[in-house]
Amino acid sequence: MNRVPTLAAGHAAVDFYQGAVPALVPFLVTGRGYGYVAVSGIVLAATLLSSVVQPLFGALADRRRLPWLIPVSTVLAGAGVAAGGVADSYALTWFAVALSGLGVAAYHPESARLARVASEGSHVRMSWFSLGGTLGFASAPVLVTPLLAIWGLGASPWLALPAVLGAALTLPAVRALSGGGGAARAAAPVTGRDDWPSFTRLTVVIVFRSVVYVGLSAFVALHLGGGTAGAVALFVLFAGGALGTVLGGRLAARWGRVATMRLAYGLAVPAVAGVVFVPGPAAYLFVAASSIALYVPFSLHVTLGQDFLPTRMGTASGVTLGLAVSVGGLVSPLVGAVAEASSLRTALACLVVFPALAWLLARTLREPAQAVS
């Protein structure tokens, strides 16, 4: 039985909370009077622990199988965001959102390993697993914004519901893949040599991608006016990633992962510039284009990393899948500081350089020898 759709649904539940944090930002600004630097700190809280500990969880996944961590981390991710909306101080809000980031960090390495087992190495099937996370991301503003707009931040505990449902849905698939045939395939002898130089360059590419995407997700709603206009911008940003994720798997099956990645980052440069400098409703088209271009390589990062480090698949998953959605938050306070010192447009303009750097560095990568289709 194909377990990839079930794992994708669980991935959606976890990554919903990564999208929920940016969706909370306008309500924290209007409801609590937080400034750009303060809300950047909240984004940082969601990503700091995740960025630091996700590779550690990946290394742990290489040493021992921890399937129970998938449902537990899903619930932790939801509980943190739910508590963050009702915390009565900035410090408690920061801490609660940081716990959510810890849950996200614990989830991704083990889930990516099981998804690779379930997908049997197929780029297209892995893109469907990544699509689950993208759809979870995209659904966050659609659910969070109306809920908090009507009932306020006090309704945040309801945001724990997707985590509970996701954990319950995923548990049978986790059990099936962790025993019998799934366990045998996971424990099969690994061939190939770890290519650390290529993996390191890929990691830096992911960092560049993360900086621009997290920067956009944190501030594009405010850049385009906040309120309903901002919620639409976030939805377009997140939903565009769904098309990009599926498109990436199919393009990679035809042209190869590295060639597809280079093309995507090259197109991302004018797309991100359009978000910043094109006025009016046309900006939404560039938001969509930026999202598609930045998400085409998303699932390809994961399988490339796993093939560059065939003997350390958990570590590769923790770094590639984790950093792709977390490390950019470490830079977001700097983006907020530039916005307060000059303007939000100036701060967002600084992001244009990062997809260009990703494109340049991606040109130094080559398809690994153990590539699969």
Side-chain angles (χ1 to χ4, degrees):
M1 179 180 179
N2 186 2
R3 302 286 181 175
V4 173
T6 303
L7 293 175
H11 196 187
V14 170
D15 280 5
F16 169 85
Y17 297 102
Q18 304 219 48
V21 173
L24 280 173
V25 164
F27 296 97
L28 295 175
V29 171
T30 59
R32 298 183 182 175
Y34 291 168
Y36 288 137
V37 173
V39 295
S40 296
I42 296 297
V43 176
L44 176 66
T47 56
L48 179 60
L49 276 178
S50 184
S51 298
V52 172
V53 306
Q54 197 144 196
L56 299 180
F57 278 112
L60 183 61
D62 286 329
R63 294 178 176 271
R64 60 179 61 185
R65 304 308 180 207
L66 302 170
W68 58 266
L69 199 56
I70 293 178
V72 170
S73 60
T74 301
V75 173
L76 180 61
V81 167
V86 295
D88 58 3
S89 71
Y90 182 84
L92 288 177
T93 300
W94 195 98
F95 180 72
V97 174
L99 285 180
S100 179
L102 181 62
V104 171
Y107 172 86
H108 280 106
E110 183 69 9
S111 67
R113 183 187 67 81
L114 289 182
R116 186 67 181 259
V117 172
S119 68
E120 299 178 340
S122 167
H123 303 327
V124 174
R125 290 183 184 178
M126 278 297 290
S127 73
W128 286 106
F129 170 71
S130 297
L131 175 63
T134 305
L135 292 177
F137 226 80
S139 67
V142 177
L143 298 177
V144 172
T145 300
L147 177 71
L148 300 187
I150 296 173
W151 288 289
L153 288 169
S156 296
W158 286 102
L159 296 176
L161 186 58
V164 176
L165 294 175
L169 180 64
T170 306
L171 191 56
V174 171
R175 287 175 174 169
L177 291 169
S178 300
R185 281 174 288 166
V190 178
T191 59
R193 178 180 298 177
D194 292 337
D195 183 356
W196 282 101
S198 294
F199 181 78
T200 301
R201 293 196 296 274
L202 176 65
T203 299
V204 178
V205 168
I206 293 171
V207 169
F208 290 151
R209 183 261 183 200
S210 178
V211 169
V212 62
Y213 189 80
V214 175
L216 286 176
S217 67
F219 294 108
V220 73
L222 295 174
H223 174 63
L224 293 181
T228 301
V232 171
L234 278 178
F235 175 76
V236 171
L237 180 72
F238 296 160
L243 177 58
T245 301
V246 175
L247 187 62
R250 297 192 176 278
L251 292 177
R254 175 175 296 183
W255 294 335
R257 291 170 292 181
V258 173
T260 300
M261 183 170 59
R262 292 170 184 165
L263 174 64
Y265 285 125
L267 294 176
V269 177
V272 174
V275 174
V276 181
F277 297 111
V278 173
Y284 290 99
L285 296 177
F286 286 96
V287 171
S290 297
S291 180
I292 292 169
L294 291 171
Y295 261 97
V296 160
F298 184 67
S299 66
L300 310 183
H301 292 155
V302 181
T303 58
L304 274 171
Q306 290 172 336
D307 285 345
F308 283 139
L309 298 184
T311 71
R312 294 176 171 85
M313 193 170 293
T315 298
S317 301
V319 172
T320 56
L321 193 56
L323 288 175
V325 291
S326 62
V327 77
L330 303 178
V331 182
S332 62
L334 296 179
V335 179
V338 172
E340 290 195 346
S342 54
S343 69
L344 187 55
R345 172 168 290 182
T346 299
L348 292 177
C350 295
L351 298 177
V352 178
V353 70
F354 290 99
L357 292 174
W359 175 78
L360 288 171
L361 193 54
R363 290 178 61 83
T364 70
L365 294 173
R366 297 293 180 268
E367 198 76 26
Q370 57 268 35
V372 290
S373 61

